[in-house]
Amino acid sequence: AQSVAQPEDQVNVAEGNPLTVKCTYSVSGNPYLFWYVQYPNRGLQFLLKYITGDNLVKGSYGFEAEFNKSQTSFHLKKPSALVSDSALYFCAVRERVGGKLIFGQGTELSVKP
Amino acid sequence: SQTIHQWPATLVQPVGSPLSLECTVEGTSNPNLYWYRQAAGRGLQLLFYSVGIGQISSEVPQNLSASRPQDRQFILSSKKLLLSDSGFYLCAWSVRTGWYEQYFGPGTRLTVT
């Protein structure tokens, strides 16, 4: 069965510092991986995806993610955090059969001035 | 461009009352449609998904039901609400093949009293 794990419930970062939000996955075959962001009382916004190709994927709002097949990870990164980046972040993997997305439990990112 | 609408934005209903939440998508045809529930601001639970008119798959047995009367309309219903039905309900769509990511609506906050 496919699954995704976000090992940190919360990540705290100072504004201007780099940020990393971790995600590991378990799938059979090649994974299709996604990152979403959710602001309070809002729907999820799509940030980026890895389907194939370069291991470093660039997305919206300056975010990027690095696909690492040997470590089965897909960590979300940003070189310089903004206070406005504070939100809930979800990692997801697409099921091979049926195409549904399996979401992690989310990581709360808090960026302090 | 594609947009997804949900209404109402917020809803307070007594236990035992019926429920109808509506989701519509504009700017695309033949989308896959999904209903999720998010409890306590965290994990997403897939409730239903649909690959076409009248085609509904249920992920979790419960007192909710879904219908897709038109290609771009997805409705979540209940005959009698339970306290445990409270949560944030999110509708999402994806293309039938290809891009794989899902796009979410703004959500409906349901409080059952």
Side-chain angles (χ1 to χ4, degrees):
Chain A
Q2 288 153 121
S3 64
V4 63
Q6 294 179 242
E8 302 158 315
D9 283 342
Q10 183 154 7
V11 171
N12 298 308
V13 177
E15 187 175 30
N17 283 0
L19 71 86
T20 299
V21 183
K22 296 179 180 178
C23 173
T24 59
Y25 65 88
S26 174
V27 302
S28 55
N30 295 322
Y32 297 150
L33 297 160
F34 306 83
W35 274 103
Y36 286 82
V37 60
Q38 184 181 31
Y39 297 97
N41 294 311
R42 303 289 294 275
L44 276 68
Q45 295 180 35
F46 169 69
L47 282 178
L48 50 81
K49 66 182 177 184
Y50 173 81
I51 303 299
T52 187
D54 289 342
N55 290 341
L56 186 63
V57 179
K58 294 189 182 296
S60 305
Y61 312 121
F63 284 94
E64 57 190 27
E66 186 171 10
F67 171 67
N68 188 316
K69 189 172 185 177
S70 63
Q71 297 185 7
T72 62
S73 67
F74 188 56
H75 300 334
L76 182 70
K77 301 181 179 183
K78 188 173 182 180
S80 179
L82 300 173
V83 173
S84 57
D85 292 330
S86 298
L88 186 58
Y89 290 81
F90 289 96
C91 181
V93 63
R94 181 179 182 267
E95 283 190 339
R96 289 176 58 80
V97 178
K100 299 192 295 291
L101 291 183
I102 300 169
F103 285 88
Q105 286 302 299
T107 298
E108 187 80 41
L109 173 66
S110 177
V111 182
K112 300 294 186 185
Chain B
S1 64
Q2 300 88 6
T3 55
I4 179 169
H5 304 280
Q6 286 186 246
W7 64 89
T10 60
L11 191 59
V12 180
Q13 293 283 98
V15 167
S17 64
L19 173 73
S20 181
L21 303 181
E22 190 164 343
C23 170
T24 59
V25 181
E26 296 178 355
T28 188
S29 298
N30 303 314
N32 288 342
L33 296 172
Y34 310 84
W35 276 112
Y36 291 87
R37 178 169 59 202
Q38 186 177 33
R42 277 290 178 136
L44 291 161
Q45 180 185 36
L46 178 62
L47 301 175
F48 302 94
Y49 69 97
S50 171
V51 298
I53 295 174
Q55 301 178 62
I56 309 295
S57 296
S58 175
E59 289 294 300
V60 182
Q62 55 203 327
N63 70 319
L64 299 173
S65 62
S67 62
R68 185 170 177 174
Q70 301 180 42
D71 181 47
R72 291 170 289 179
Q73 184 185 28
F74 206 23
I75 297 172
L76 183 70
S77 304
S78 174
K79 293 182 179 178
K80 290 185 177 182
L81 283 168
L82 306 173
L83 285 174
S84 58
D85 291 325
S86 293
F88 193 47
Y89 287 82
L90 292 160
C91 182
W93 73 274
S94 69
V95 295
R96 194 67 59 82
T97 59
W99 300 340
Y100 310 120
E101 65 266 25
Q102 295 176 17
Y103 296 94
F104 285 77
T108 295
R109 174 74 60 189
L110 172 66
T111 303
V112 182
T113 61

